[in-house]
């Protein structure tokens, strides 16, 4: 239980860091995500202009200069869009980092690989010393699950025999 408590406390620590600290990342995907968002936004604005199009293999819209000028937005709208691009890009990168940190630090370090973690109890030496009944009690399915599985296996065999009979000429 102490190991589980340390893992949960560490997740709390990671949450505190994310919430209290400055939004900061050195991940290069941050810049590429911002760029992709800006490009997608601009493409949508230009496609929504409903300019004319010729029927060729690429079917690219042809834009008139006056139509393109309509795609420009006010300084206020531009600032709002930029903030949205930066925040959504940051949170996309930060969310992935946070999930990785929880996985690597709280789960892997505290629960799986820790010398005093819960999985260390089940060492080969420990399991080798168990009596047959004790090992069965630890590893065996619950009786109601075992009974349900056996029933389903019987039903499956019955259905397979029925399918064979239906396939007979």
């Amino acid at each position: 239980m102490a190991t589980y408590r340390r893992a949960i406390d560490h997740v709390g620590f990671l949450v505190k860091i994310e919430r209290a600290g400055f939004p900061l990342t050195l991940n290069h995907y941050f810049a590429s995500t911002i760029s992709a968002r800006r490009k997608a936004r601009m493409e949508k604005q230009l496609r929504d202009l409903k300019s004319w199009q010729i029927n060729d293999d690429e079917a690219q819209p042809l834009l008139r200069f006056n139509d393109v000028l309509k795609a420009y937005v006010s300084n206020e709208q531009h600032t709002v869009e930029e903030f949205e691009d930066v925040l959504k890009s940051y949170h996309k990168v930060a969310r992935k980092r946070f999930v990785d940190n929880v996985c690597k630090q709280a789960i892997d370090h505290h629960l799986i690989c820790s010398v005093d973690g819960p999985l260390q109890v089940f060492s080969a030496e420990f399991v080798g010393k168990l009596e047959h009944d004790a090992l069965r009690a630890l590893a065996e399915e619950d009786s109601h699950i075992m009974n349900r599985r056996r029933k389903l296996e019987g039903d499956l065999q019955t259905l397979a025999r029925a399918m064979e009979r239906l396939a007979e000429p």
Side-chain angles (χ1 to χ4, degrees), residues 10 42 47 59 74 103 111 113 117 150:
H10 194 77
M42 184 55 69
R47 287 190 192 283
S74 68
C103 177
L111 299 177
C113 295
R150 286 182 184 152

Side-chain angles (χ1 to χ4, degrees), residues 55 60 82:
N55 291 326
Q60 293 289 322
E82 282 294 307

